[in-house]
Amino acid sequence: MKGGLRSRTAKLSLLLAAAAIVCLAQLPPSDSGSYAAKVVTQSGQVSILKDSQPWALSVGEAVHVKDLIMTGVDGHAILQVSDGSTFEVFPNSRVLFRKNPPNWKDFLDVLVGRVRIHIEHFGNVPNPNRVLTPTAVISVRGTTFDVSVDDDDETTLVEVEDGQVEVQHALLPRGNPKVLSPGETLRVYRNEPLEAGIIDKGTLARRVLRSMVDAVTTIATRVPNSGTSGVGGIGSGPSVGDTTKVPPPPPPPPPPPPLP
């Protein structure tokens, strides 16, 4: 009888210990600062919303949980979290960072615009994170991928560069998720099942090429005018804003003397 009581007491202790672990896992950690994101690079208009007002971000500053990151037409930033994972925010985007503090694996909510996400691997240990959009739930373990959300109809485009991601619809009944591998993409429409959005690898290649062209164009618009135009001196006349004075043209020759 005493052995049975002892066994039940041991089981009860194990259950209580497991319950305590679950409860503690749901509480925010004491060092919440380690769950912030640090701005690694920044250019153009990049800010967070504080007290309903935009506050400009600079390199080295931190973005904390529930902060809304906003970029303007020329805004671009790369941010890094404590485990080495990064996310890159492109122009005209709105991204909410860890809006659900009890669940630290809810990494980003992409409301509109485009982000590029890299989740670090921990060797053989999983590093699960989720990225949410108005139409998609994207689960990752350790990978690099792009997420774009259209401003008009909230369509989500997921493009995988490395690793695998699992995509489910955020609005329609969740059936079997779609697993995307490197080079594969999926477009998630608001009112259509996932099967409607498969895109081939050729489309991805064209998108990558277009992104490269866009990046070169953006960089070119940010390079200050050097005061000359053309290459190798071709077209090296005065440029707009050149302060070098050009001598006036010589006066016309005097008229010939009248004939006698």
Side-chain angles (χ1 to χ4, degrees):
M1 191 72 177
K2 289 182 179 180
L5 179 61
R6 217 178 271 116
S7 176
R8 287 195 296 271
T9 303
K11 289 180 180 179
L12 180 60
S13 299
L14 288 174
L15 288 173
L16 291 173
I21 291 172
V22 171
C23 291
L24 287 173
Q26 297 301 316
L27 294 175
S30 58
D31 184 17
S32 297
S34 64
Y35 287 82
K38 182 180 179 181
V39 181
V40 178
T41 70
Q42 174 270 331
S43 63
Q45 183 182 350
V46 182
S47 58
I48 57 174
L49 199 63
K50 285 187 177 182
D51 301 323
S52 301
Q53 296 294 327
W55 289 69
L57 282 176
S58 301
V59 172
E61 293 186 324
V63 172
H64 298 280
V65 296
K66 296 186 178 182
D67 276 347
L68 176 64
I69 305 167
M70 305 179 296
T71 57
V73 293
D74 62 345
H76 175 271
I78 297 177
L79 299 96
Q80 186 176 49
V81 296
S82 59
D83 68 2
S85 300
T86 60
F87 60 99
E88 184 174 0
V89 187
F90 291 88
N92 294 323
S93 298
R94 301 289 183 272
V95 179
L96 190 58
F97 178 64
R98 285 181 169 153
K99 75 170 184 179
N100 186 20
N103 187 351
W104 299 105
K105 296 308 179 183
D106 281 353
F107 191 43
L108 297 176
D109 281 60
V110 184
L111 306 180
V112 68
R114 177 187 168 211
V115 297
R116 185 173 187 268
I117 301 157
H118 171 73
I119 302 298
E120 275 290 326
H121 293 269
F122 286 153
N124 295 325
V125 180
N127 185 17
N129 284 268
R130 292 203 311 175
V131 176
L132 299 99
T133 78
T135 51
V137 178
I138 306 157
S139 300
V140 299
R141 296 294 182 268
T143 184
T144 304
F145 62 103
D146 277 34
V147 176
S148 303
V149 178
D150 190 88
D151 192 17
D152 295 327
D153 57 6
E154 298 181 332
T155 297
T156 297
L157 178 66
V158 184
E159 305 172 275
V160 179
E161 178 182 324
D162 180 65
Q164 287 186 328
V165 303
E166 182 182 280
V167 184
Q168 290 184 319
H169 208 293
L171 302 174
L172 300 180
R174 296 183 184 178
N176 295 325
K178 291 293 182 183
V179 178
L180 304 181
S181 298
E184 294 183 339
T185 70
L186 177 68
R187 192 182 295 273
V188 183
Y189 300 97
R190 186 176 185 85
N191 298 315
E192 296 185 25
L194 294 180
E195 289 75 9
I198 293 294
I199 303 177
D200 62 18
K201 294 184 180 183
T203 302
L204 176 60
R206 290 191 292 271
R207 289 184 178 277
V208 170
L209 178 60
R210 187 178 65 181
S211 298
M212 293 172 63
V213 173
D214 291 343
V216 171
T217 304
T218 302
I219 293 172
T221 59
R222 294 177 183 172
V223 175
N225 191 352
S226 62
T228 60
S229 60
V231 178
I234 299 175
S236 57
S239 62
V240 177
D242 194 348
T243 57
T244 304
K245 294 184 178 180
V246 179
L259 296 173

